[in-house]
Amino acid sequence: MLKTNLPERFVIPPSVKTLFFIKRRPKLRFSSKWPPPELSEFFDPRTWDGTQALMTDKPEARLYHQWLEREGFISPSLLKNASDMLPQLRDDLRELEQHLMPRFWKLEQEAKYFQNLHYLYQWIFILGAFLTSVLAALSVLLYQSNVPDVWINVLGVATTVIGAATGSVSFLQTNQVPQKQWFQARNAAERMRTLYFLYIARQSPFDIADDQERVQHLRRMTLRVLRQRRVQNRASS
Amino acid sequence: MQAANSTPTPEQKPEPPLLSPEEVRLRTEFYLQQRIHYQEAYYQNRVKEFDFNSSTMLVVSAVLMFLSSITSAWSASADSALLAFITAILPAFAAVVAAFRSLYQWDRQASIYQDTWFSLQEAELELEDVDYIDIDDYMMSFPGLIEKTETALQNEASQWGQIWVPTSIDPDDS
Protein backbone atom coordinates (compact mmCIF):
# COMPACT_ATOMS: atom_id res chain seq x y z
CA MET A 1 0.00 0.00 0.00
CA LEU A 2 1.05 3.60 -0.50
CA LYS A 3 2.29 5.35 2.58
CA THR A 4 -0.27 7.49 4.33
CA ASN A 5 0.66 11.12 4.24
CA LEU A 6 -2.14 12.86 6.08
CA PRO A 7 -1.80 16.52 7.02
CA GLU A 8 -0.46 17.14 10.50
CA ARG A 9 -3.53 19.07 11.60
CA PHE A 10 -5.54 15.84 11.56
CA VAL A 11 -3.60 14.28 14.43
CA ILE A 12 -3.65 17.15 16.91
CA PRO A 13 -5.57 15.96 19.98
CA PRO A 14 -8.32 18.18 21.38
CA SER A 15 -7.03 20.71 23.87
CA VAL A 16 -7.78 24.23 24.91
CA LYS A 17 -6.40 25.39 21.59
CA THR A 18 -9.16 23.54 19.80
CA LEU A 19 -11.93 25.36 21.63
CA PHE A 20 -14.07 27.03 19.03
CA PHE A 21 -13.57 30.57 20.28
CA ILE A 22 -9.83 30.24 19.65
CA LYS A 23 -9.59 27.85 16.74
CA ARG A 24 -12.76 28.75 14.86
CA ARG A 25 -12.98 32.44 15.58
CA PRO A 26 -13.89 34.37 12.45
CA LYS A 27 -11.32 36.62 10.87
CA LEU A 28 -12.00 40.28 10.24
CA ARG A 29 -10.18 40.19 6.92
CA PHE A 30 -10.59 37.17 4.70
CA SER A 31 -9.96 37.10 0.97
CA SER A 32 -12.63 35.68 -1.33
CA LYS A 33 -10.11 35.35 -4.15
CA TRP A 34 -7.81 32.45 -4.89
CA PRO A 35 -4.88 32.34 -4.32
CA PRO A 36 -5.31 33.48 -0.71
CA PRO A 37 -2.79 35.99 0.73
CA GLU A 38 -0.52 33.27 2.18
CA LEU A 39 0.04 31.93 -1.34
CA SER A 40 -0.32 35.04 -3.46
CA GLU A 41 3.36 35.93 -3.21
CA PHE A 42 4.08 32.68 -5.06
CA PHE A 43 1.02 32.48 -7.30
CA ASP A 44 0.10 35.28 -9.60
CA PRO A 45 -3.30 34.20 -10.98
CA ARG A 46 -2.53 35.91 -14.29
CA THR A 47 0.59 33.85 -14.94
CA TRP A 48 -0.01 30.82 -12.75
CA ASP A 49 -0.02 27.52 -14.60
CA GLY A 50 -0.99 24.57 -12.41
CA THR A 51 -0.16 22.05 -15.11
CA GLN A 52 3.45 23.29 -15.16
CA ALA A 53 3.56 23.17 -11.36
CA LEU A 54 2.77 19.45 -11.51
CA MET A 55 5.82 18.82 -13.68
CA THR A 56 8.44 20.87 -11.85
CA ASP A 57 10.08 20.76 -8.46
CA LYS A 58 10.61 24.50 -7.86
CA PRO A 59 9.85 25.86 -4.37
CA GLU A 60 6.56 27.46 -5.44
CA ALA A 61 5.57 24.25 -7.22
CA ARG A 62 6.39 22.23 -4.09
CA LEU A 63 4.21 24.59 -2.08
CA TYR A 64 1.39 23.92 -4.50
CA HIS A 65 1.97 20.16 -4.18
CA GLN A 66 1.61 20.49 -0.39
CA TRP A 67 -1.52 22.54 -0.91
CA LEU A 68 -2.95 19.79 -3.12
CA GLU A 69 -2.21 17.11 -0.53
CA ARG A 70 -3.64 19.21 2.27
CA GLU A 71 -6.90 19.37 0.34
CA GLY A 72 -6.86 15.61 -0.27
CA PHE A 73 -5.84 15.58 -3.92
CA ILE A 74 -3.08 13.66 -5.64
CA SER A 75 0.22 15.47 -5.84
CA PRO A 76 3.41 14.53 -7.71
CA SER A 77 5.13 13.49 -4.47
CA LEU A 78 2.56 10.71 -4.08
CA LEU A 79 3.34 9.48 -7.58
CA LYS A 80 7.00 8.78 -6.86
CA ASN A 81 6.28 5.17 -5.83
CA ALA A 82 4.26 4.52 -8.95
CA SER A 83 6.64 5.22 -11.80
CA ASP A 84 5.41 2.38 -14.07
CA MET A 85 1.91 3.75 -14.42
CA LEU A 86 2.83 7.40 -14.46
CA PRO A 87 2.13 8.45 -18.06
CA GLN A 88 -1.62 7.74 -18.03
CA LEU A 89 -2.14 9.03 -14.51
CA ARG A 90 -0.04 12.10 -15.19
CA ASP A 91 -2.18 12.84 -18.24
CA ASP A 92 -5.33 12.58 -16.14
CA LEU A 93 -3.88 14.86 -13.46
CA ARG A 94 -2.82 17.37 -16.11
CA GLU A 95 -6.33 17.49 -17.59
CA LEU A 96 -7.85 17.87 -14.14
CA GLU A 97 -5.39 20.63 -13.31
CA GLN A 98 -6.28 22.38 -16.51
CA HIS A 99 -10.06 22.08 -16.48
CA LEU A 100 -11.22 21.35 -12.94
CA MET A 101 -8.78 22.59 -10.32
CA PRO A 102 -8.96 26.34 -11.09
CA ARG A 103 -12.74 26.16 -10.69
CA PHE A 104 -12.44 24.06 -7.56
CA TRP A 105 -9.99 26.48 -5.89
CA LYS A 106 -12.25 29.42 -6.69
CA LEU A 107 -15.32 27.70 -5.20
CA GLU A 108 -13.36 26.44 -2.20
CA GLN A 109 -12.10 29.92 -1.39
CA GLU A 110 -15.56 31.42 -1.86
CA ALA A 111 -17.04 28.80 0.47
CA LYS A 112 -14.45 29.62 3.13
CA TYR A 113 -15.00 33.34 2.64
CA PHE A 114 -18.78 33.15 3.07
CA GLN A 115 -18.44 30.72 5.97
CA ASN A 116 -16.14 33.19 7.72
CA LEU A 117 -18.51 36.05 6.93
CA HIS A 118 -21.53 34.16 8.27
CA TYR A 119 -19.79 33.38 11.55
CA LEU A 120 -18.38 36.90 11.80
CA TYR A 121 -21.88 38.38 11.58
CA GLN A 122 -23.26 35.86 14.07
CA TRP A 123 -20.43 36.59 16.52
CA ILE A 124 -21.16 40.32 16.21
CA PHE A 125 -24.85 39.68 17.00
CA ILE A 126 -24.06 37.49 19.99
CA LEU A 127 -21.34 39.70 21.43
CA GLY A 128 -23.39 42.83 20.67
CA ALA A 129 -26.34 41.47 22.64
CA PHE A 130 -24.00 40.46 25.47
CA LEU A 131 -22.30 43.86 25.61
CA THR A 132 -25.66 45.65 25.56
CA SER A 133 -26.75 43.65 28.62
CA VAL A 134 -23.44 44.31 30.40
CA LEU A 135 -23.55 48.03 29.65
CA ALA A 136 -27.15 48.28 30.85
CA ALA A 137 -26.22 46.56 34.13
CA LEU A 138 -23.13 48.77 34.42
CA SER A 139 -25.25 51.90 33.93
CA VAL A 140 -27.47 50.85 36.84
CA LEU A 141 -24.38 50.10 38.95
CA LEU A 142 -22.83 53.51 38.22
CA TYR A 143 -26.13 55.28 38.77
CA GLN A 144 -26.39 53.71 42.23
CA SER A 145 -22.73 54.53 42.94
CA ASN A 146 -23.29 58.27 42.44
CA VAL A 147 -20.49 58.61 39.88
CA PRO A 148 -20.44 61.75 37.67
CA ASP A 149 -23.16 61.77 35.01
CA VAL A 150 -20.56 61.89 32.27
CA TRP A 151 -19.73 58.21 32.83
CA ILE A 152 -23.36 57.23 32.53
CA ASN A 153 -23.55 59.27 29.33
CA VAL A 154 -20.45 57.51 27.99
CA LEU A 155 -22.12 54.15 28.63
CA GLY A 156 -25.23 55.40 26.87
CA VAL A 157 -23.18 56.41 23.83
CA ALA A 158 -21.36 53.05 23.86
CA THR A 159 -24.71 51.20 23.96
CA THR A 160 -25.95 53.28 21.03
CA VAL A 161 -22.79 52.54 19.03
CA ILE A 162 -23.15 48.81 19.68
CA GLY A 163 -26.81 48.92 18.69
CA ALA A 164 -25.96 50.81 15.49
CA ALA A 165 -23.19 48.33 14.65
CA THR A 166 -25.43 45.30 15.11
CA GLY A 167 -28.13 47.03 13.08
CA SER A 168 -25.70 47.61 10.20
CA VAL A 169 -24.49 44.03 10.34
CA SER A 170 -28.12 42.87 10.32
CA PHE A 171 -28.66 44.89 7.12
CA LEU A 172 -25.56 43.31 5.54
CA GLN A 173 -26.60 39.83 6.66
CA THR A 174 -30.04 40.24 5.10
CA ASN A 175 -28.63 41.42 1.79
CA GLN A 176 -25.53 39.26 1.45
CA VAL A 177 -27.10 36.05 2.84
CA PRO A 178 -23.62 34.64 3.55
CA GLN A 179 -24.92 31.36 4.94
CA LYS A 180 -26.78 30.55 1.73
CA GLN A 181 -23.77 31.59 -0.36
CA TRP A 182 -21.52 29.45 1.83
CA PHE A 183 -23.74 26.37 1.46
CA GLN A 184 -24.02 26.82 -2.30
CA ALA A 185 -20.28 27.32 -2.80
CA ARG A 186 -19.43 24.40 -0.51
CA ASN A 187 -21.89 22.17 -2.29
CA ALA A 188 -20.42 23.10 -5.68
CA ALA A 189 -16.84 22.61 -4.42
CA GLU A 190 -17.70 19.15 -3.12
CA ARG A 191 -19.27 18.29 -6.48
CA MET A 192 -15.99 19.28 -8.12
CA ARG A 193 -14.12 17.04 -5.69
CA THR A 194 -16.42 14.15 -6.58
CA LEU A 195 -15.81 14.77 -10.29
CA TYR A 196 -12.05 14.78 -9.66
CA PHE A 197 -12.08 11.31 -8.14
CA LEU A 198 -14.57 9.88 -10.62
CA TYR A 199 -12.31 11.12 -13.40
CA ILE A 200 -9.23 9.58 -11.79
CA ALA A 201 -11.11 6.31 -11.32
CA ARG A 202 -12.61 6.50 -14.83
CA GLN A 203 -15.99 5.67 -13.43
CA SER A 204 -19.35 6.88 -14.64
CA PRO A 205 -19.80 9.47 -16.08
CA PHE A 206 -16.12 9.33 -17.15
CA ASP A 207 -16.04 5.68 -18.22
CA ILE A 208 -15.36 6.76 -21.79
CA ALA A 209 -12.69 5.02 -23.84
CA ASP A 210 -11.82 7.98 -26.04
CA ASP A 211 -9.44 10.37 -24.25
CA GLN A 212 -10.54 13.43 -26.16
CA GLU A 213 -14.22 12.76 -25.51
CA ARG A 214 -13.55 12.08 -21.83
CA VAL A 215 -11.81 15.43 -21.44
CA GLN A 216 -14.65 17.17 -23.27
CA HIS A 217 -17.09 15.57 -20.87
CA LEU A 218 -15.03 16.71 -17.90
CA ARG A 219 -15.19 20.27 -19.22
CA ARG A 220 -18.96 19.97 -19.69
CA MET A 221 -19.49 18.58 -16.20
CA THR A 222 -17.46 21.26 -14.43
CA LEU A 223 -19.33 23.93 -16.37
CA ARG A 224 -22.60 22.32 -15.38
CA VAL A 225 -21.67 22.56 -11.70
CA LEU A 226 -20.93 26.27 -12.10
CA ARG A 227 -24.12 26.82 -14.05
CA GLN A 228 -26.22 25.02 -11.42
CA ARG A 229 -24.74 27.21 -8.72
CA ARG A 230 -25.57 30.28 -10.76
CA VAL A 231 -29.17 29.08 -11.20
CA GLN A 232 -29.47 28.38 -7.46
CA ASN A 233 -28.08 31.82 -6.72
CA ARG A 234 -30.51 33.52 -9.08
CA ALA A 235 -33.46 31.56 -7.69
CA SER A 236 -32.63 32.51 -4.12
CA SER A 237 -31.97 36.20 -4.78
CA MET B 1 -18.36 8.25 -27.74
CA GLN B 2 -18.39 4.83 -26.06
CA ALA B 3 -18.91 3.90 -22.47
CA ALA B 4 -16.56 1.02 -21.77
CA ASN B 5 -18.73 -0.45 -19.02
CA SER B 6 -21.87 -0.73 -21.16
CA THR B 7 -23.11 -4.25 -21.96
CA PRO B 8 -22.14 -5.26 -25.52
CA THR B 9 -24.84 -6.57 -27.87
CA PRO B 10 -24.12 -9.95 -29.56
CA GLU B 11 -22.90 -8.28 -32.77
CA GLN B 12 -20.55 -5.94 -30.89
CA LYS B 13 -17.12 -7.01 -29.69
CA PRO B 14 -16.57 -6.57 -25.95
CA GLU B 15 -14.61 -3.41 -25.37
CA PRO B 16 -11.22 -3.62 -23.70
CA PRO B 17 -11.12 -2.36 -20.12
CA LEU B 18 -10.22 1.29 -19.71
CA LEU B 19 -7.35 0.51 -17.36
CA SER B 20 -5.02 -2.44 -16.87
CA PRO B 21 -5.40 -4.47 -13.64
CA GLU B 22 -2.15 -2.98 -12.32
CA GLU B 23 -3.35 0.53 -13.01
CA VAL B 24 -6.70 -0.16 -11.36
CA ARG B 25 -4.79 -1.36 -8.29
CA LEU B 26 -2.76 1.83 -8.21
CA ARG B 27 -5.80 4.07 -8.64
CA THR B 28 -7.69 2.12 -6.00
CA GLU B 29 -4.85 2.77 -3.57
CA PHE B 30 -4.84 6.47 -4.39
CA TYR B 31 -8.60 6.55 -4.00
CA LEU B 32 -8.39 4.78 -0.64
CA GLN B 33 -5.67 7.08 0.61
CA GLN B 34 -6.70 10.46 -0.74
CA ARG B 35 -10.45 10.12 -0.82
CA ILE B 36 -11.55 7.64 1.85
CA HIS B 37 -8.79 7.81 4.47
CA TYR B 38 -8.51 11.57 4.06
CA GLN B 39 -12.24 12.03 4.67
CA GLU B 40 -12.24 9.53 7.54
CA ALA B 41 -9.42 11.40 9.26
CA TYR B 42 -11.26 14.66 8.70
CA TYR B 43 -14.50 13.33 10.21
CA GLN B 44 -12.78 11.71 13.17
CA ASN B 45 -10.87 14.87 13.94
CA ARG B 46 -13.98 17.01 13.69
CA VAL B 47 -16.02 14.63 15.86
CA LYS B 48 -13.33 14.82 18.56
CA GLU B 49 -13.26 18.60 18.35
CA PHE B 50 -17.06 18.96 18.40
CA ASP B 51 -17.45 16.53 21.31
CA PHE B 52 -14.80 18.45 23.21
CA ASN B 53 -16.48 21.79 22.52
CA SER B 54 -19.91 20.46 23.40
CA SER B 55 -18.85 18.91 26.71
CA THR B 56 -16.72 21.94 27.66
CA MET B 57 -19.58 24.32 27.02
CA LEU B 58 -21.87 22.05 29.03
CA VAL B 59 -19.51 22.37 32.00
CA VAL B 60 -19.32 26.15 31.49
CA SER B 61 -23.15 26.34 31.48
CA ALA B 62 -23.32 24.31 34.71
CA VAL B 63 -20.72 26.57 36.38
CA LEU B 64 -22.63 29.67 35.30
CA MET B 65 -25.88 28.22 36.61
CA PHE B 66 -24.21 27.46 39.93
CA LEU B 67 -22.68 30.95 40.22
CA SER B 68 -25.93 32.57 39.19
CA SER B 69 -27.87 30.75 41.91
CA ILE B 70 -25.29 31.62 44.57
CA THR B 71 -25.03 35.30 43.67
CA SER B 72 -28.82 35.68 43.37
CA ALA B 73 -29.33 34.27 46.84
CA TRP B 74 -26.48 36.32 48.23
CA SER B 75 -27.51 39.60 46.61
CA ALA B 76 -31.02 39.22 48.02
CA SER B 77 -29.65 39.51 51.55
CA ALA B 78 -26.61 41.71 50.93
CA ASP B 79 -26.95 45.36 50.06
CA SER B 80 -24.22 45.39 47.43
CA ALA B 81 -24.48 47.10 44.06
CA LEU B 82 -21.54 45.09 42.73
CA LEU B 83 -23.23 41.81 43.64
CA ALA B 84 -26.41 42.98 41.93
CA PHE B 85 -24.32 43.81 38.87
CA ILE B 86 -22.75 40.35 38.83
CA THR B 87 -26.17 38.79 39.27
CA ALA B 88 -27.41 40.78 36.30
CA ILE B 89 -24.58 39.84 33.92
CA LEU B 90 -24.32 36.12 34.69
CA PRO B 91 -27.49 35.32 32.70
CA ALA B 92 -25.96 37.31 29.83
CA PHE B 93 -22.93 34.98 29.92
CA ALA B 94 -25.26 31.98 29.96
CA ALA B 95 -27.11 33.42 26.96
CA VAL B 96 -23.79 33.77 25.07
CA VAL B 97 -22.94 30.13 25.73
CA ALA B 98 -26.42 29.03 24.63
CA ALA B 99 -26.18 31.18 21.50
CA PHE B 100 -22.83 29.63 20.51
CA ARG B 101 -24.14 26.12 21.14
CA SER B 102 -27.06 26.90 18.88
CA LEU B 103 -24.84 28.53 16.25
CA TYR B 104 -22.30 25.71 15.93
CA GLN B 105 -24.62 22.76 16.69
CA TRP B 106 -21.71 20.58 17.70
CA ASP B 107 -23.80 17.58 18.74
CA ARG B 108 -25.73 17.48 15.47
CA GLN B 109 -22.60 17.96 13.37
CA ALA B 110 -20.71 15.30 15.30
CA SER B 111 -23.58 12.87 14.79
CA ILE B 112 -23.65 13.49 11.02
CA TYR B 113 -19.87 13.09 10.73
CA GLN B 114 -19.90 9.95 12.86
CA ASP B 115 -22.58 8.38 10.65
CA THR B 116 -20.61 9.26 7.53
CA TRP B 117 -17.46 7.78 9.03
CA PHE B 118 -19.33 4.49 9.57
CA SER B 119 -20.64 4.63 6.00
CA LEU B 120 -17.09 5.06 4.70
CA GLN B 121 -15.90 2.14 6.80
CA GLU B 122 -18.71 0.09 5.32
CA ALA B 123 -17.78 1.17 1.80
CA GLU B 124 -14.21 -0.01 2.43
CA LEU B 125 -15.58 -3.51 2.97
CA GLU B 126 -16.18 -3.65 -0.78
CA LEU B 127 -12.47 -4.28 -1.04
CA GLU B 128 -10.99 -7.51 0.28
CA ASP B 129 -8.42 -7.25 3.04
CA VAL B 130 -5.06 -6.16 1.64
CA ASP B 131 -3.40 -9.39 2.79
CA TYR B 132 -5.78 -11.54 0.75
CA ILE B 133 -6.64 -9.40 -2.24
CA ASP B 134 -5.67 -10.58 -5.69
CA ILE B 135 -4.79 -8.04 -8.38
CA ASP B 136 -7.86 -9.01 -10.42
CA ASP B 137 -10.08 -8.37 -7.39
CA TYR B 138 -9.34 -4.68 -7.70
CA MET B 139 -11.06 -4.64 -11.11
CA MET B 140 -14.14 -6.27 -9.56
CA SER B 141 -14.29 -4.20 -6.39
CA PHE B 142 -13.26 -0.73 -7.52
CA PRO B 143 -16.63 0.38 -9.02
CA GLY B 144 -18.55 -0.78 -5.93
CA LEU B 145 -16.07 0.91 -3.63
CA ILE B 146 -16.46 4.19 -5.48
CA GLU B 147 -20.23 4.00 -5.69
CA LYS B 148 -20.66 3.36 -1.97
CA THR B 149 -18.09 5.97 -0.99
CA GLU B 150 -19.46 8.72 -3.20
CA THR B 151 -23.01 7.98 -2.06
CA ALA B 152 -21.91 8.28 1.58
CA LEU B 153 -20.10 11.54 0.91
CA GLN B 154 -22.97 12.97 -1.15
CA ASN B 155 -25.37 12.17 1.69
CA GLU B 156 -23.15 14.11 4.04
CA ALA B 157 -22.71 16.97 1.57
CA SER B 158 -26.46 17.17 1.00
CA GLN B 159 -26.69 19.19 4.17
CA TRP B 160 -25.02 21.98 2.20
CA GLY B 161 -27.76 22.06 -0.38
CA GLN B 162 -29.64 19.90 -2.77
CA ILE B 163 -28.33 16.42 -3.38
CA TRP B 164 -26.54 16.30 -6.66
CA VAL B 165 -25.62 13.14 -8.48
CA PRO B 166 -23.23 13.31 -11.45
CA THR B 167 -25.15 11.75 -14.31
CA SER B 168 -24.07 10.17 -17.53
CA ILE B 169 -23.69 12.31 -20.60
CA ASP B 170 -26.69 14.50 -21.05
CA PRO B 171 -27.47 15.15 -24.73
CA ASP B 172 -28.69 18.63 -23.82
CA ASP B 173 -25.21 19.52 -22.67
CA SER B 174 -23.45 18.82 -25.91
XYZ file of all heavy atoms in Angstrom, chain A residues 148-195:
371
model
N -20.022 60.617 38.514
C -20.444 61.748 37.669
C -21.278 61.275 36.481
O -21.051 60.200 35.930
C -19.109 62.349 37.198
C -18.103 61.893 38.185
C -18.578 60.601 38.733
N -22.232 62.127 36.087
C -23.158 61.775 35.012
C -22.454 61.460 33.688
O -22.970 60.724 32.861
C -24.146 62.923 34.777
C -25.218 62.919 35.846
O -25.267 61.928 36.613
O -25.992 63.890 35.908
N -21.259 62.085 33.536
C -20.557 61.894 32.268
C -20.291 60.414 31.980
O -20.369 59.960 30.843
C -19.247 62.727 32.250
C -18.245 62.217 33.275
C -18.612 62.698 30.863
N -20.019 59.635 33.023
C -19.733 58.214 32.829
C -20.976 57.467 32.370
O -20.913 56.564 31.533
C -19.170 57.585 34.116
C -17.784 58.070 34.394
C -17.391 58.905 35.394
C -16.615 57.790 33.620
N -16.046 59.173 35.305
C -15.540 58.492 34.206
C -16.358 57.043 32.479
C -14.252 58.449 33.716
C -15.076 56.990 31.981
C -14.032 57.689 32.597
N -22.095 57.878 32.941
C -23.357 57.232 32.533
C -23.670 57.592 31.076
O -24.130 56.760 30.298
C -24.490 57.652 33.488
C -24.178 57.099 34.883
C -25.845 57.137 33.006
C -25.044 57.616 35.981
N -23.339 58.863 30.725
C -23.548 59.273 29.327
C -22.646 58.495 28.375
O -23.057 58.111 27.280
C -23.281 60.779 29.175
C -24.332 61.595 29.882
O -25.429 61.099 30.150
N -24.022 62.843 30.217
N -21.393 58.286 28.819
C -20.450 57.505 27.991
C -21.010 56.104 27.739
O -20.978 55.586 26.611
C -19.061 57.426 28.669
C -18.184 56.355 28.013
C -18.367 58.775 28.612
N -21.545 55.497 28.789
C -22.124 54.150 28.631
C -23.309 54.181 27.675
O -23.506 53.265 26.865
C -22.564 53.600 29.992
C -21.439 53.156 30.925
C -22.031 52.607 32.223
C -20.572 52.092 30.278
N -24.083 55.247 27.774
C -25.234 55.396 26.870
C -24.785 55.476 25.414
O -25.358 54.825 24.530
N -23.718 56.261 25.192
C -23.184 56.409 23.834
C -22.652 55.042 23.337
O -22.922 54.628 22.203
C -22.063 57.473 23.785
C -21.336 57.440 22.449
C -22.646 58.852 24.044
N -21.924 54.357 24.235
C -21.364 53.046 23.857
C -22.486 52.073 23.486
O -22.384 51.330 22.488
C -20.528 52.482 25.004
N -23.571 52.093 24.255
C -24.712 51.204 23.964
C -25.308 51.547 22.599
O -25.651 50.648 21.816
C -25.788 51.341 25.067
O -25.152 51.187 26.331
C -26.866 50.290 24.922
N -25.398 52.856 22.331
C -25.947 53.282 21.032
C -25.062 52.815 19.883
O -25.555 52.332 18.851
C -26.061 54.826 20.995
O -26.750 55.246 22.160
C -26.794 55.301 19.760
N -23.731 52.962 20.084
C -22.791 52.542 19.026
C -22.928 51.038 18.764
O -22.982 50.588 17.604
C -21.338 52.897 19.421
C -20.333 52.243 18.484
C -21.150 54.407 19.416
N -23.013 50.271 19.842
C -23.147 48.812 19.675
C -24.459 48.483 18.957
O -24.497 47.645 18.044
C -23.063 48.098 21.048
C -21.638 48.205 21.584
C -23.473 46.631 20.932
C -21.489 47.779 23.019
N -25.517 49.160 19.353
C -26.811 48.923 18.693
C -26.748 49.270 17.211
O -27.270 48.525 16.369
N -26.082 50.391 16.899
C -25.959 50.807 15.488
C -25.136 49.785 14.700
O -25.471 49.445 13.555
C -25.318 52.183 15.418
N -24.054 49.304 15.336
C -23.185 48.335 14.646
C -23.948 47.045 14.355
O -23.898 46.518 13.228
C -21.956 48.034 15.507
N -24.676 46.548 15.350
C -25.427 45.301 15.108
C -26.539 45.524 14.080
O -26.839 44.637 13.275
C -26.007 44.720 16.421
O -26.676 45.759 17.114
C -24.943 44.152 17.303
N -27.107 46.712 14.089
C -28.127 47.035 13.085
C -27.551 47.013 11.679
O -28.154 46.458 10.756
N -26.352 47.594 11.514
C -25.703 47.613 10.196
C -25.363 46.196 9.749
O -25.552 45.835 8.576
C -24.405 48.422 10.237
O -24.672 49.694 10.729
N -24.856 45.414 10.681
C -24.495 44.033 10.342
C -25.751 43.245 9.959
O -25.730 42.424 9.032
C -23.745 43.373 11.525
C -23.596 41.886 11.305
C -22.375 44.003 11.683
N -26.856 43.535 10.655
C -28.118 42.866 10.324
C -28.539 43.202 8.893
O -28.997 42.334 8.140
C -29.191 43.306 11.315
O -30.430 42.820 10.927
N -28.340 44.459 8.496
C -28.657 44.887 7.120
C -27.792 44.115 6.113
O -28.282 43.604 5.101
C -28.419 46.396 7.008
C -28.571 46.930 5.620
C -29.836 47.135 5.061
C -27.455 47.239 4.853
C -29.965 47.621 3.768
C -27.583 47.723 3.566
C -28.844 47.917 3.019
N -26.471 44.036 6.435
C -25.555 43.312 5.543
C -25.928 41.827 5.450
O -25.936 41.235 4.375
C -24.114 43.432 6.053
C -23.442 44.790 5.885
C -22.096 44.802 6.594
C -23.248 45.111 4.407
N -26.239 41.255 6.596
C -26.598 39.830 6.661
C -27.817 39.544 5.785
O -27.846 38.569 5.041
C -26.889 39.472 8.124
C -27.676 38.211 8.337
C -26.776 37.050 8.706
O -25.556 37.167 8.664
N -27.359 35.949 9.039
N -28.807 40.439 5.869
C -30.037 40.237 5.095
C -29.757 40.322 3.597
O -30.339 39.579 2.809
C -31.077 41.305 5.492
O -31.180 41.303 6.907
C -32.435 41.023 4.886
N -28.869 41.214 3.215
C -28.630 41.420 1.785
C -27.598 40.473 1.196
O -27.709 40.073 0.044
C -28.216 42.873 1.533
C -29.411 43.792 1.653
O -30.236 43.870 0.750
N -29.559 44.455 2.785
N -26.582 40.130 1.996
C -25.528 39.255 1.452
C -25.849 37.770 1.599
O -25.247 36.966 0.902
C -24.199 39.538 2.153
C -23.609 40.901 1.799
C -22.311 41.151 2.537
O -22.128 40.699 3.666
N -21.419 41.892 1.919
N -26.769 37.449 2.499
C -27.096 36.048 2.836
C -25.856 35.134 2.785
O -25.790 34.192 1.995
C -28.239 35.489 1.955
C -29.585 35.912 2.460
C -28.088 35.838 0.498
N -24.876 35.404 3.637
C -23.616 34.638 3.548
C -23.791 33.148 3.800
O -23.077 32.344 3.195
C -22.728 35.283 4.627
C -23.642 36.012 5.524
C -24.830 36.402 4.709
N -24.774 32.785 4.649
C -24.923 31.355 4.936
C -25.360 30.603 3.670
O -24.840 29.529 3.363
C -25.931 31.137 6.062
C -25.941 29.702 6.552
C -26.962 29.463 7.639
O -28.020 30.089 7.668
N -26.654 28.564 8.543
N -26.311 31.193 2.959
C -26.782 30.548 1.730
C -25.645 30.476 0.691
O -25.450 29.454 0.027
C -27.963 31.344 1.176
C -28.775 30.564 0.184
C -30.036 31.292 -0.190
C -31.130 31.085 0.830
N -32.374 31.766 0.487
N -24.897 31.557 0.591
C -23.766 31.592 -0.359
C -22.720 30.546 0.017
O -22.129 29.894 -0.846
C -23.111 32.981 -0.335
C -24.037 34.091 -0.721
C -23.896 34.440 -2.192
O -23.560 33.595 -3.008
N -24.161 35.679 -2.525
N -22.494 30.438 1.327
C -21.519 29.453 1.834
C -21.973 28.042 1.458
O -21.185 27.247 0.916
C -21.382 29.643 3.351
C -20.780 28.498 4.115
C -19.835 27.611 3.675
C -21.084 28.115 5.461
N -19.539 26.705 4.671
C -20.284 26.991 5.770
C -21.937 28.619 6.443
C -20.326 26.364 7.010
C -21.975 27.994 7.682
C -21.176 26.882 7.955
N -23.233 27.708 1.741
C -23.742 26.369 1.456
C -23.654 26.063 -0.038
O -23.267 24.969 -0.433
C -25.199 26.238 1.926
C -25.343 26.093 3.421
C -24.246 26.141 4.255
C -26.589 25.895 3.986
C -24.380 26.012 5.642
C -26.736 25.757 5.363
C -25.632 25.821 6.193
N -24.032 27.046 -0.848
C -24.022 26.821 -2.299
C -22.599 26.606 -2.828
O -22.348 25.705 -3.630
C -24.669 28.006 -3.025
C -26.183 28.019 -2.879
C -26.816 29.270 -3.449
O -26.119 30.176 -3.901
N -28.131 29.342 -3.408
N -21.674 27.456 -2.344
C -20.278 27.323 -2.801
C -19.678 26.008 -2.305
O -18.954 25.321 -3.044
C -19.447 28.504 -2.315
N -19.963 25.655 -1.063
C -19.427 24.402 -0.514
C -19.966 23.202 -1.274
O -19.246 22.269 -1.620
C -19.789 24.326 0.983
C -19.499 23.024 1.698
C -18.064 22.573 1.592
N -17.108 23.576 2.029
C -15.860 23.681 1.580
N -15.417 22.841 0.654
N -15.057 24.616 2.022
N -21.262 23.245 -1.549
C -21.895 22.167 -2.294
C -21.236 22.008 -3.673
O -20.901 20.896 -4.095
C -23.386 22.490 -2.440
C -24.190 21.285 -2.876
O -23.762 20.155 -2.710
N -25.348 21.527 -3.455
N -21.039 23.138 -4.343
C -20.423 23.100 -5.678
C -18.973 22.605 -5.594
O -18.525 21.818 -6.438
C -20.494 24.473 -6.320
N -18.239 23.058 -4.575
C -16.838 22.615 -4.425
C -16.778 21.109 -4.184
O -15.906 20.417 -4.739
C -16.176 23.367 -3.268
N -17.697 20.593 -3.384
C -17.704 19.151 -3.121
C -18.086 18.362 -4.373
O -17.617 17.247 -4.578
C -18.632 18.804 -1.953
C -18.159 19.354 -0.603
C -16.703 19.015 -0.276
O -16.273 17.877 -0.535
O -15.979 19.906 0.220
N -18.942 18.947 -5.213
C -19.271 18.289 -6.483
C -18.027 18.207 -7.356
O -17.769 17.199 -8.014
C -20.324 19.083 -7.242
C -21.684 19.043 -6.635
C -22.567 19.970 -7.436
N -23.798 20.261 -6.763
C -24.702 21.111 -7.236
N -24.478 21.751 -8.358
N -25.803 21.328 -6.587
N -17.244 19.271 -7.349
C -15.994 19.279 -8.123
C -15.053 18.188 -7.605
O -14.381 17.500 -8.370
C -15.303 20.638 -8.015
C -16.012 21.757 -8.726
S -15.835 21.653 -10.507
C -16.613 23.183 -10.995
N -14.994 18.059 -6.288
C -14.116 17.043 -5.693
C -14.566 15.634 -6.125
O -13.756 14.772 -6.439
C -14.156 17.169 -4.167
C -12.928 16.612 -3.473
C -13.163 16.536 -1.992
N -13.191 17.836 -1.329
C -12.135 18.434 -0.827
N -10.958 17.870 -0.912
N -12.241 19.597 -0.221
N -15.888 15.441 -6.136
C -16.419 14.150 -6.584
C -16.028 13.893 -8.037
O -15.576 12.787 -8.378
C -17.959 14.148 -6.450
O -18.288 14.320 -5.086
C -18.567 12.856 -6.954
N -16.172 14.922 -8.875
C -15.807 14.772 -10.291
C -14.331 14.406 -10.439
O -13.960 13.580 -11.270
C -16.092 16.071 -11.060
C -17.560 16.440 -11.286
C -17.651 17.752 -12.058
C -18.293 15.350 -12.039
